[in-house]
Amino acid sequence: MCSERLLSKLKKAKTVAVLTGAGISAESGVPTFRGEEGLWQKFRPEELANFEAFIRNPKLVWEWYNYRKQIINQVEPNPAHYALVKMEAHFQNFHLITQNVDNLHRKAGSQQIYELHGNIMRNRCVDCNKYIDDIYFTNSEELPVCDCGGLIRPDVVWFGESLPQQVLMNSFFATKNSDVFFSIGTSAVVQPAASLPLEAKQSGAYVVEINTEPTVITNLIDESLLGKAGEILPQIVSKLLDS
Ligand code: OAD
């Protein structure tokens, strides 16, 4: 699955950047957001992942997050996550940018991770902004409340909210400086993350997509590898390390 062209680009690369999306965790058993299997009780992610939805119906939004946290707590990283750990060890400059909030890159052992959309295991108060470690409650009738009386929300980025500025700046910087850029398991429709592969392309990187289906960026980049990340990435890494 690793073309000679990609292998030669990787061998010469000083800086490699990777953008991951929900698809990289699909083989671990975490549902993606879009597509039939991605729907939760017929809600689209845009309907739940926003502040207005939370204020209107915090119970519903917490039920969705508790459902996802329950899955995430039971799953393990897959060969795609581990292949990225090996890549990080191999390259002089390696930057892992993720839209995922599922903690699986960290669990696999990746060291430097730019979490664009936050982390589902962290929470914060909507009023005083205090950070609160993982909380788990089964009865979503009793919503978690901060000492100050404010509602506690997951520390993730919702639609209409800004991404963490420093993380975003680091991600753009890494992208623009990359020699090879991978876009893995993302539908590439949610901005600003979706603009990173094209930013990389414009800056001269060799841009490779790994996805089970073509996406909106497939025709705009250098190489599209159609298939499962958990199968393709380990093949690329072993070819690179054996060469
Ligand atoms: P999506 O659910 O939009 O896309 C997942 C992509 O992974 C699809 O293009 C699938 O074809 C692909 N895919 C599925 N299984 C795969 C596999 N085994 N190997 C490779 N690719 C596979 O997820 P994201 O692009 O991550 O944001 O969604 C972006 C953002 O939208 C999320 O971070 C989340 C969501 O709303 C917020 O909540 C703010």
Side-chain angles (χ1 to χ4, degrees):
M1 258 295 186
C2 182
S3 67
E4 286 308 316
R5 188 162 163 73
L6 173 56
L7 184 62
S8 124
K9 293 279 178 189
L10 283 172
K11 279 163 92 175
K12 282 188 231 141
K14 287 206 173 60
T15 301
V16 172
V18 176
L19 171 69
T20 64
I24 197 166
S25 299
E27 288 158 78
S28 292
V30 183
T32 57
F33 291 94
R34 295 176 179 78
E36 269 310 299
E37 81 289 356
L39 293 178
W40 178 72
Q41 296 188 10
K42 301 200 170 63
F43 290 100
R44 288 181 300 116
E46 292 81 355
E47 293 175 78
L48 296 165
N50 74 74
F51 190 69
E52 288 70 35
F54 180 69
I55 293 303
R56 205 167 42 240
N57 195 345
K59 180 174 172 296
L60 175 72
V61 174
W62 264 118
E63 272 176 18
W64 185 48
Y65 279 96
N66 277 342
Y67 155 79
R68 290 171 55 200
K69 275 164 78 164
Q70 237 171 19
I71 296 175
I72 287 164
N73 278 329
Q74 286 165 11
V75 301
E76 294 299 329
N78 67 58
H81 296 103
Y82 291 115
L84 293 180
V85 178
K86 286 191 184 162
M87 269 201 196
E88 183 172 22
H90 179 79
F91 289 103
Q92 210 176 340
N93 297 306
F94 182 82
H95 305 272
L96 175 54
I97 306 161
T98 189
Q99 297 166 87
N100 298 346
V101 296
D102 62 21
N103 224 19
L104 286 180
H105 286 303
R106 210 172 288 280
K107 212 169 168 183
S110 285
Q111 302 287 318
Q112 198 199 25
I113 311 163
Y114 303 140
E115 289 177 325
L116 284 177
H117 291 168
N119 189 308
I120 201 171
M121 298 303 172
R122 280 195 316 257
N123 308 280
R124 65 185 161 87
C125 172
V126 296
D127 285 343
C128 72
N129 239 348
K130 185 170 106 178
Y131 285 93
I132 294 128
D133 280 343
D134 191 22
I135 39 172
Y136 190 74
F137 55 101
T138 43
N139 178 5
S140 32
E141 296 297 333
E142 291 167 24
L143 292 167
V145 175
C146 177
D147 301 340
C148 80
L151 272 177
I152 294 173
R153 58 167 281 180
D155 186 27
V156 298
V157 177
W158 283 335
F159 286 92
E161 295 181 331
S162 311
L163 275 64
Q165 280 311 296
Q166 193 61 48
V167 175
L168 188 61
M169 272 165 54
N170 290 345
S171 302
F172 270 97
F173 188 76
T175 297
K176 282 174 193 277
N177 282 304
S178 62
D179 302 305
V180 177
F181 184 97
F182 287 94
S183 176
I184 305 171
T186 175
S187 55
V189 293
V190 174
Q191 295 295 351
S195 66
L196 292 172
L198 304 180
E199 192 74 40
K201 176 78 188 140
Q202 269 174 14
S203 307
Y206 188 72
V207 181
V208 182
E209 179 176 56
I210 303 176
N211 200 304
T212 44
E213 291 170 11
T215 71
V216 288
I217 63 162
T218 303
N219 292 329
L220 306 171
I221 48 119
D222 296 292
E223 191 166 331
S224 157
L225 300 173
L226 274 182
K228 293 183 174 176
E231 292 169 8
I232 295 174
L233 264 177
Q235 286 173 28
I236 293 174
V237 171
S238 31
K239 198 155 174 188
L240 175 68
L241 298 184
D242 292 348
S243 63

